[in-house]
Amino acid sequence: MPGDTLTREHVLGNVDEIPVGEGRNFEVAGRTVAVFRNHAGEVFASQADCPHLGGPLADGMLGGSTIMCPLHDRMFDLRTGSVLVGECGITVYPIRKAEDGTLLLSLDG
Ligand code: FES
C-alpha cells in the first residue's frame, strides 16, 4: 500500500488528558503506550510495562525526563530509553504536541 514506508502519526488525544507530572496509558494500533507530561510541558512516550516484572510505568515517579518504576525503582531515560538503574532499557516512541495540544505518536521510530 502506498505510504507504508512513511512514518505514520497516530492521534492519541489531548495533552490535557494527562495531569502535569504524571503518565497515562493510551491504546494505539493494538499496543498500550505510556505517555508522560512533565512540569516543563514536554511529553514522552514509552512501552507501558516495565521490563523488570511488568510494573505500570505510567504510575511511576516522573522527574524531568526520567521515570522510576513504581514497583522496584528501576529507572529509565524517557528521551533515549536507556536504563539508569536496572538491567535493560525500554522502547520509547517519538511523540509531539501540536499547537492545539493534540498528541501525535509515531510507532515506527
Ligand atoms: S517491575 Fe519495574 S522495577 Fe520491578
Side-chain angles (χ1 to χ4, degrees):
M1 188 192 295
D4 270 356
T5 58
L6 298 175
T7 298
R8 276 194 221 135
E9 288 185 314
H10 301 266
V11 174
L12 296 186
N14 193 280
V15 69
D16 290 336
E17 296 172 40
I18 309 171
V20 173
E22 296 188 16
R24 289 288 184 271
N25 281 342
F26 289 82
E27 300 297 324
V28 52
R31 223 179 289 197
T32 305
V33 174
V35 180
F36 305 89
R37 178 187 189 187
N38 71 11
H39 286 276
E42 297 172 295
V43 289
F44 304 98
S46 75
Q47 66 184 68
D49 298 334
C50 178
H52 179 226
L53 289 174
L57 292 177
D59 294 339
M61 188 178 297
L62 181 65
S65 63
T66 64
I67 186 69
M68 180 187 288
C69 179
L71 295 193
H72 316 100
D73 299 349
R74 267 55 170 187
M75 195 182 299
F76 309 94
D77 183 331
L78 290 169
R79 292 188 198 282
T80 64
S82 60
V83 64
L84 302 173
V85 177
E87 301 79 20
C88 65
I90 57 174
T91 299
V92 293
Y93 304 101
I95 187 169
R96 67 184 179 93
K97 187 175 56 176
E99 274 186 29
D100 66 356
T102 300
L103 295 171
L104 298 158
L105 176 90
S106 171
L107 292 174
D108 306 324

